[in-house]
Amino acid sequence: MMYMRRFLVLMLMVSLAVSAYAGEKTTRILDKDDELTLYPMNHTGKYAASIAPAYPVRVECKATYQRNGKSTADIAEILTGISTIKGTQYYSQSKKEVTTLFTDAYTVDHPRHANRIEDHKLGNQLPMGIDIYGMLEDSRFKDNVYQFSYLFDENHITLKITNMDTLKYGFIKAIETHCFLFILDIVLTEDEIQVYNAGFCKPAVLPSFMEKRVNNAITNRMDALFGWFEKGITEK
């Protein structure tokens, strides 16, 4: 399991590299028998804790930001703007430089038809929940559809992102459908935006020479998705 240990160390390094955006940020990389400890045991936390044991790659993060007058509707607008994921960058271990990970991103009407449509506009009257499908084109896995599932409350938003397509590294199957999950739980207090994040992945069985590359690719996507949200709420 040396490849997994190298992957977890890399994940920690990447997570720490983006911590400057947050007023306070804590990241935990879970070993085999570890349980989630940063998540509050609300509905989302209980769900994340219940599914965590099924995934060999697991990471959780807690971050706090200044609210700066942002409303729940403001944050919902950020999270439903799938096209804003385009251009999200990451640090490439192979190139040893910061480069673009998601080269294109847009909302689609259906996971199979995948016709491009405009980003959803929710307005100030938020629904209880909504599912949106987004096409993300990235530098490694190419074009793939993801499901973005949202739950809204007065001062609480939950977002779960999962892959609807099988992610392939070239011609090699890297991650089966529904085996990559990214869960954001956002709580607004009077002055702060408190964010809890859990990333889970169950890679496919891979040739040994591909394991490190695919695990690095998983790390990049978890970090880039969090960076996209982080940039949105910290911009004035």
Side-chain angles (χ1 to χ4, degrees):
M1 297 295 290
M2 284 298 295
Y3 82 90
M4 185 63 71
R5 177 56 57 185
R6 291 195 297 268
F7 162 62
L8 293 176
V9 170
L10 173 61
M11 180 178 286
L12 179 60
M13 292 173 62
V14 174
S15 298
L16 291 174
V18 299
S19 62
Y21 288 100
E24 178 183 348
K25 187 171 183 178
T26 303
T27 301
R28 287 187 69 237
I29 297 166
L30 279 63
D31 288 326
K32 180 179 179 181
D33 298 322
D34 288 345
E35 297 181 352
L36 298 177
T37 61
L38 299 180
Y39 253 92
M41 281 299 100
N42 56 15
H43 176 77
T44 308
K46 291 177 180 178
Y47 169 74
S50 71
I51 67 171
Y55 295 87
V57 179
R58 302 172 295 159
V59 62
E60 66 171 339
C61 176
K62 176 181 178 181
T64 303
Y65 309 85
Q66 292 300 306
R67 184 165 173 173
N68 293 328
K70 286 186 171 63
S71 66
T72 305
D74 293 333
I75 296 176
E77 182 179 0
I78 294 167
L79 291 174
T80 54
I82 307 301
S83 64
T84 63
I85 300 175
K86 179 180 179 180
T88 299
Q89 297 188 321
Y90 76 113
Y91 181 77
S92 170
Q93 292 295 314
S94 59
K95 296 180 179 180
K96 305 299 181 185
E97 63 181 12
V98 175
T99 186
T100 299
L101 175 59
F102 294 115
T103 55
D104 201 2
Y106 51 91
T107 304
V108 296
D109 60 349
H110 190 277
R112 292 184 182 177
H113 307 147
N115 296 311
R116 185 192 292 252
I117 60 176
E118 296 294 322
D119 286 340
H120 282 261
K121 299 298 182 183
L122 297 174
N124 291 320
Q125 295 296 321
L126 298 178
M128 291 184 62
I130 188 173
D131 290 337
I132 295 174
Y133 297 102
M135 177 73 76
L136 304 185
E137 178 181 328
D138 67 51
S139 59
R140 184 59 64 191
F141 293 140
K142 305 307 178 184
D143 296 352
N144 294 284
V145 176
Y146 293 78
Q147 181 175 351
F148 293 69
S149 297
Y150 307 82
L151 294 175
F152 300 107
D153 205 342
E154 183 177 359
N155 290 304
H156 186 198
I157 301 175
T158 299
L159 166 61
K160 182 177 75 172
I161 304 173
T162 185
N163 62 309
M164 301 297 289
D165 291 331
T166 297
L167 306 184
K168 295 182 179 180
Y169 194 103
F171 295 104
I172 298 175
K173 184 185 298 184
I175 305 171
E176 299 274 7
T177 303
H178 302 301
C179 287
F180 177 88
L181 289 94
F182 182 86
I183 303 172
L184 278 176
D185 196 62
I186 302 156
V187 178
L188 281 72
T189 68
E190 184 175 353
D191 299 316
E192 296 179 337
I193 303 171
Q194 298 174 354
V195 183
Y196 306 91
N197 166 47
F200 302 124
C201 187
K202 185 188 301 180
V205 177
L206 299 166
S208 58
F209 73 93
M210 293 295 298
E211 289 175 343
K212 182 177 179 180
R213 294 180 185 178
V214 170
N215 284 329
N216 285 347
I218 294 167
T219 309
N220 295 337
R221 274 135 201 84
M222 289 182 181
D223 181 63
L225 286 169
F226 192 86
W228 157 66
F229 169 72
E230 197 167 45
K231 180 180 178 182
I233 64 172
T234 53
E235 286 182 336
K236 296 182 179 180

